[in-house]
Amino acid sequence: DVKVTQSSRYLVKRTGEKVFLECVQDMDHENMFWYRQDPGLGLRLIYFSYDVKMKEKGDIPEGYSVSREKKERFSLILESASTNQTSMYLCASGQLTNEKLFFGSGTQLSVL
Amino acid sequence: GENVEQHPSTLSVQEGDSAVIKCTYSDSASNYFPWYKQELGKGPQLIIDIRSNVGEKKDQRIAVTLNKTAKHFSLHITETQPEDSAVYFCAAYTGGFKTIFGAGTRLFVKA
């Protein structure tokens, strides 16, 4: 069974902390994505990566960065967490066409 | 910019009834329309999709319809069951790396 695994289900951090969200996929997919899910706003793309060490900004990249050192792993970094970054974060992977996305279970991040 | 509008935001039906969720997209270049179901505590999972050259697709109790002229597409669930309760997202894909998602519909199926 294909799998996208996010390291934490719930995370509580303080304002100003540096936060790392980790994601691993076992499907050998080229492309990986980080989305943010907020009620009434659907899923919004933060960053994506189409190859190791390659990354592109999505629609809401401000305050975030990413790292992809290995094909199967994609990390989202909040350099200095703020309360408006409290949200559900979803990692996804996709094959070459990116039509079908495979999502992890999400990380609910609370920044206090 | 491109967007996908989804209605209703919340839908409550009695078990056995039908449920319909409607979406409208703005980018006429969109050519693939997936629907995702997100159960409590889980990530979204693809449940059905339709391409722009097809008007309707059915898979057991769920079906999708697409009206390209009006830029409308809909999800139909018949004979709803409690396990259908979830958040449903429609999406439109144009190519490349961008999938535009609707805001989501929370479906409650009352037993």
mmCIF file of all heavy atoms in Angstrom, chain A residues 59-86:
data_model
loop_
_atom_site.group_PDB
_atom_site.id
_atom_site.type_symbol
_atom_site.label_atom_id
_atom_site.label_comp_id
_atom_site.label_asym_id
_atom_site.label_seq_id
_atom_site.Cartn_x
_atom_site.Cartn_y
_atom_site.Cartn_z
ATOM 1 N N ASP A 59 1.500 29.190 -3.616
ATOM 2 C CA ASP A 59 0.688 30.399 -3.497
ATOM 3 C C ASP A 59 0.940 31.181 -2.214
ATOM 4 O O ASP A 59 0.737 32.395 -2.179
ATOM 5 C CB ASP A 59 -0.798 30.021 -3.568
ATOM 6 C CG ASP A 59 -1.148 29.405 -4.908
ATOM 7 O OD1 ASP A 59 -0.674 29.937 -5.936
ATOM 8 O OD2 ASP A 59 -1.878 28.402 -4.922
ATOM 9 N N ILE A 60 1.363 30.497 -1.156
ATOM 10 C CA ILE A 60 1.535 31.170 0.144
ATOM 11 C C ILE A 60 2.867 30.799 0.786
ATOM 12 O O ILE A 60 2.927 30.241 1.866
ATOM 13 C CB ILE A 60 0.367 30.854 1.103
ATOM 14 C CG1 ILE A 60 0.135 29.336 1.220
ATOM 15 C CG2 ILE A 60 -0.921 31.532 0.633
ATOM 16 C CD1 ILE A 60 -0.739 28.948 2.384
ATOM 17 N N PRO A 61 4.000 31.135 0.160
ATOM 18 C CA PRO A 61 5.297 30.714 0.691
ATOM 19 C C PRO A 61 5.862 31.580 1.825
ATOM 20 O O PRO A 61 6.819 31.176 2.485
ATOM 21 C CB PRO A 61 6.191 30.833 -0.544
ATOM 22 C CG PRO A 61 5.596 31.975 -1.316
ATOM 23 C CD PRO A 61 4.096 31.866 -1.086
ATOM 24 N N GLU A 62 5.252 32.727 2.053
ATOM 25 C CA GLU A 62 5.839 33.663 3.031
ATOM 26 C C GLU A 62 5.884 33.050 4.422
ATOM 27 O O GLU A 62 4.887 32.540 4.925
ATOM 28 C CB GLU A 62 5.018 34.958 3.068
ATOM 29 C CG GLU A 62 5.020 35.764 1.770
ATOM 30 C CD GLU A 62 4.094 35.181 0.714
ATOM 31 O OE1 GLU A 62 3.184 34.387 1.083
ATOM 32 O OE2 GLU A 62 4.271 35.504 -0.471
ATOM 33 N N GLY A 63 7.059 33.112 5.031
ATOM 34 C CA GLY A 63 7.248 32.582 6.383
ATOM 35 C C GLY A 63 7.659 31.117 6.422
ATOM 36 O O GLY A 63 7.848 30.558 7.502
ATOM 37 N N TYR A 64 7.760 30.511 5.253
ATOM 38 C CA TYR A 64 8.115 29.085 5.157
ATOM 39 C C TYR A 64 9.336 28.890 4.255
ATOM 40 O O TYR A 64 9.608 29.704 3.378
ATOM 41 C CB TYR A 64 6.959 28.280 4.559
ATOM 42 C CG TYR A 64 5.648 28.400 5.279
ATOM 43 C CD1 TYR A 64 4.683 29.323 4.853
ATOM 44 C CD2 TYR A 64 5.349 27.590 6.375
ATOM 45 C CE1 TYR A 64 3.470 29.443 5.504
ATOM 46 C CE2 TYR A 64 4.138 27.702 7.022
ATOM 47 C CZ TYR A 64 3.204 28.628 6.590
ATOM 48 O OH TYR A 64 2.003 28.735 7.235
ATOM 49 N N SER A 65 10.039 27.808 4.477
ATOM 50 C CA SER A 65 11.050 27.326 3.545
ATOM 51 C C SER A 65 10.953 25.812 3.499
ATOM 52 O O SER A 65 10.237 25.212 4.308
ATOM 53 C CB SER A 65 12.457 27.788 3.950
ATOM 54 O OG SER A 65 12.807 27.233 5.210
ATOM 55 N N VAL A 66 11.645 25.192 2.568
ATOM 56 C CA VAL A 66 11.585 23.735 2.431
ATOM 57 C C VAL A 66 12.975 23.194 2.150
ATOM 58 O O VAL A 66 13.894 23.922 1.770
ATOM 59 C CB VAL A 66 10.628 23.292 1.302
ATOM 60 C CG1 VAL A 66 9.181 23.576 1.672
ATOM 61 C CG2 VAL A 66 11.016 23.927 -0.021
ATOM 62 N N SER A 67 13.083 21.893 2.343
ATOM 63 C CA SER A 67 14.339 21.199 2.064
ATOM 64 C C SER A 67 14.029 19.829 1.500
ATOM 65 O O SER A 67 13.166 19.112 2.033
ATOM 66 C CB SER A 67 15.149 21.052 3.357
ATOM 67 O OG SER A 67 16.289 20.248 3.153
ATOM 68 N N ARG A 68 14.733 19.479 0.430
ATOM 69 C CA ARG A 68 14.604 18.129 -0.117
ATOM 70 C C ARG A 68 16.002 17.623 -0.453
ATOM 71 O O ARG A 68 16.503 17.843 -1.537
ATOM 72 C CB ARG A 68 13.707 18.112 -1.351
ATOM 73 C CG ARG A 68 13.335 16.686 -1.734
ATOM 74 C CD ARG A 68 12.170 16.634 -2.628
ATOM 75 N NE ARG A 68 11.815 15.289 -3.003
ATOM 76 C CZ ARG A 68 11.163 14.998 -4.099
ATOM 77 N NH1 ARG A 68 10.815 15.968 -4.940
ATOM 78 N NH2 ARG A 68 10.846 13.751 -4.371
ATOM 79 N N GLU A 69 16.566 16.918 0.496
ATOM 80 C CA GLU A 69 17.915 16.375 0.343
ATOM 81 C C GLU A 69 17.899 14.972 -0.250
ATOM 82 O O GLU A 69 18.878 14.544 -0.864
ATOM 83 C CB GLU A 69 18.624 16.356 1.702
ATOM 84 C CG GLU A 69 18.840 17.754 2.285
ATOM 85 C CD GLU A 69 19.767 18.594 1.425
ATOM 86 O OE1 GLU A 69 20.769 18.057 0.909
ATOM 87 O OE2 GLU A 69 19.477 19.792 1.230
ATOM 88 N N LYS A 70 16.794 14.248 -0.057
ATOM 89 C CA LYS A 70 16.630 12.910 -0.621
ATOM 90 C C LYS A 70 15.284 12.842 -1.322
ATOM 91 O O LYS A 70 14.347 13.554 -0.954
ATOM 92 C CB LYS A 70 16.705 11.852 0.477
ATOM 93 C CG LYS A 70 18.072 11.726 1.126
ATOM 94 C CD LYS A 70 18.095 10.575 2.128
ATOM 95 C CE LYS A 70 19.485 10.407 2.722
ATOM 96 N NZ LYS A 70 19.531 9.279 3.686
ATOM 97 N N LYS A 71 15.187 11.983 -2.291
ATOM 98 C CA LYS A 71 13.970 11.907 -3.109
ATOM 99 C C LYS A 71 12.736 11.619 -2.257
ATOM 100 O O LYS A 71 11.657 12.135 -2.515
ATOM 101 C CB LYS A 71 14.140 10.819 -4.167
ATOM 102 C CG LYS A 71 13.015 10.764 -5.184
ATOM 103 C CD LYS A 71 13.310 9.726 -6.246
ATOM 104 C CE LYS A 71 12.221 9.735 -7.321
ATOM 105 N NZ LYS A 71 12.499 8.737 -8.382
ATOM 106 N N GLU A 72 12.882 10.773 -1.259
ATOM 107 C CA GLU A 72 11.714 10.349 -0.504
ATOM 108 C C GLU A 72 11.322 11.300 0.624
ATOM 109 O O GLU A 72 10.270 11.129 1.220
ATOM 110 C CB GLU A 72 11.955 8.941 0.083
ATOM 111 C CG GLU A 72 13.043 8.881 1.161
ATOM 112 C CD GLU A 72 14.434 8.638 0.592
ATOM 113 O OE1 GLU A 72 14.629 8.858 -0.615
ATOM 114 O OE2 GLU A 72 15.309 8.244 1.398
ATOM 115 N N ARG A 73 12.112 12.304 0.902
ATOM 116 C CA ARG A 73 11.895 13.148 2.083
ATOM 117 C C ARG A 73 11.779 14.618 1.704
ATOM 118 O O ARG A 73 12.616 15.152 0.972
ATOM 119 C CB ARG A 73 13.056 12.936 3.062
ATOM 120 C CG ARG A 73 12.868 13.587 4.405
ATOM 121 C CD ARG A 73 14.062 13.264 5.302
ATOM 122 N NE ARG A 73 14.187 11.837 5.564
ATOM 123 C CZ ARG A 73 13.614 11.205 6.570
ATOM 124 N NH1 ARG A 73 12.885 11.884 7.445
ATOM 125 N NH2 ARG A 73 13.788 9.908 6.726
ATOM 126 N N PHE A 74 10.750 15.249 2.263
ATOM 127 C CA PHE A 74 10.497 16.665 1.981
ATOM 128 C C PHE A 74 10.134 17.341 3.292
ATOM 129 O O PHE A 74 9.172 16.935 3.952
ATOM 130 C CB PHE A 74 9.361 16.785 0.964
ATOM 131 C CG PHE A 74 9.178 18.154 0.353
ATOM 132 C CD1 PHE A 74 10.250 18.989 0.099
ATOM 133 C CD2 PHE A 74 7.910 18.593 -0.021
ATOM 134 C CE1 PHE A 74 10.074 20.229 -0.497
ATOM 135 C CE2 PHE A 74 7.718 19.830 -0.621
ATOM 136 C CZ PHE A 74 8.799 20.641 -0.855
ATOM 137 N N SER A 75 10.884 18.354 3.661
ATOM 138 C CA SER A 75 10.686 19.007 4.953
ATOM 139 C C SER A 75 10.172 20.423 4.780
ATOM 140 O O SER A 75 10.612 21.143 3.878
ATOM 141 C CB SER A 75 12.006 19.045 5.736
ATOM 142 O OG SER A 75 12.522 17.745 5.918
ATOM 143 N N LEU A 76 9.265 20.796 5.646
ATOM 144 C CA LEU A 76 8.760 22.175 5.688
ATOM 145 C C LEU A 76 9.328 22.833 6.940
ATOM 146 O O LEU A 76 9.288 22.251 8.020
ATOM 147 C CB LEU A 76 7.229 22.183 5.744
ATOM 148 C CG LEU A 76 6.560 23.556 5.804
ATOM 149 C CD1 LEU A 76 6.742 24.300 4.478
ATOM 150 C CD2 LEU A 76 5.076 23.423 6.132
ATOM 151 N N ILE A 77 9.848 24.038 6.769
ATOM 152 C CA ILE A 77 10.504 24.737 7.872
ATOM 153 C C ILE A 77 9.822 26.077 8.111
ATOM 154 O O ILE A 77 9.618 26.854 7.170
ATOM 155 C CB ILE A 77 11.999 24.959 7.553
ATOM 156 C CG1 ILE A 77 12.670 23.627 7.252
ATOM 157 C CG2 ILE A 77 12.702 25.670 8.728
ATOM 158 C CD1 ILE A 77 13.909 23.727 6.414
ATOM 159 N N LEU A 78 9.450 26.297 9.368
ATOM 160 C CA LEU A 78 8.953 27.604 9.771
ATOM 161 C C LEU A 78 10.100 28.266 10.522
ATOM 162 O O LEU A 78 10.470 27.845 11.620
ATOM 163 C CB LEU A 78 7.725 27.472 10.676
ATOM 164 C CG LEU A 78 6.403 27.067 10.037
ATOM 165 C CD1 LEU A 78 6.425 25.646 9.504
ATOM 166 C CD2 LEU A 78 5.261 27.243 11.036
ATOM 167 N N GLU A 79 10.717 29.254 9.910
ATOM 168 C CA GLU A 79 11.935 29.851 10.469
ATOM 169 C C GLU A 79 11.677 30.492 11.831
ATOM 170 O O GLU A 79 12.492 30.397 12.739
ATOM 171 C CB GLU A 79 12.483 30.889 9.494
ATOM 172 C CG GLU A 79 12.972 30.302 8.175
ATOM 173 C CD GLU A 79 14.229 29.451 8.329
ATOM 174 O OE1 GLU A 79 14.935 29.587 9.359
ATOM 175 O OE2 GLU A 79 14.519 28.657 7.414
ATOM 176 N N SER A 80 10.563 31.159 11.975
ATOM 177 C CA SER A 80 10.190 31.811 13.232
ATOM 178 C C SER A 80 8.670 31.757 13.332
ATOM 179 O O SER A 80 7.971 32.599 12.781
ATOM 180 C CB SER A 80 10.677 33.257 13.239
ATOM 181 O OG SER A 80 10.295 33.899 14.440
ATOM 182 N N ALA A 81 8.192 30.724 14.023
ATOM 183 C CA ALA A 81 6.754 30.455 14.036
ATOM 184 C C ALA A 81 5.954 31.640 14.576
ATOM 185 O O ALA A 81 6.353 32.291 15.553
ATOM 186 C CB ALA A 81 6.472 29.213 14.869
ATOM 187 N N SER A 82 4.813 31.880 13.944
ATOM 188 C CA SER A 82 3.907 32.926 14.421
ATOM 189 C C SER A 82 2.521 32.332 14.599
ATOM 190 O O SER A 82 2.202 31.268 14.048
ATOM 191 C CB SER A 82 3.855 34.080 13.427
ATOM 192 O OG SER A 82 3.324 33.641 12.201
ATOM 193 N N THR A 83 1.683 33.011 15.372
ATOM 194 C CA THR A 83 0.362 32.467 15.692
ATOM 195 C C THR A 83 -0.491 32.270 14.438
ATOM 196 O O THR A 83 -1.321 31.359 14.393
ATOM 197 C CB THR A 83 -0.378 33.371 16.684
ATOM 198 O OG1 THR A 83 -0.428 34.702 16.161
ATOM 199 C CG2 THR A 83 0.336 33.389 18.043
ATOM 200 N N ASN A 84 -0.285 33.074 13.409
ATOM 201 C CA ASN A 84 -1.082 32.908 12.185
ATOM 202 C C ASN A 84 -0.638 31.720 11.336
ATOM 203 O O ASN A 84 -1.195 31.471 10.256
ATOM 204 C CB ASN A 84 -1.108 34.197 11.358
ATOM 205 C CG ASN A 84 0.261 34.614 10.871
ATOM 206 O OD1 ASN A 84 1.221 33.861 10.952
ATOM 207 N ND2 ASN A 84 0.353 35.825 10.348
ATOM 208 N N GLN A 85 0.358 31.002 11.821
ATOM 209 C CA GLN A 85 0.758 29.762 11.158
ATOM 210 C C GLN A 85 0.155 28.536 11.845
ATOM 211 O O GLN A 85 0.446 27.398 11.462
ATOM 212 C CB GLN A 85 2.279 29.667 11.106
ATOM 213 C CG GLN A 85 2.895 30.704 10.180
ATOM 214 C CD GLN A 85 4.392 30.646 10.126
ATOM 215 O OE1 GLN A 85 5.063 30.631 11.176
ATOM 216 N NE2 GLN A 85 4.958 30.626 8.924
ATOM 217 N N THR A 86 -0.689 28.766 12.818
ATOM 218 C CA THR A 86 -1.468 27.681 13.409
ATOM 219 C C THR A 86 -2.409 27.136 12.343
ATOM 220 O O THR A 86 -3.230 27.879 11.792
ATOM 221 C CB THR A 86 -2.283 28.182 14.612
ATOM 222 O OG1 THR A 86 -1.390 28.503 15.676
ATOM 223 C CG2 THR A 86 -3.276 27.121 15.081
#
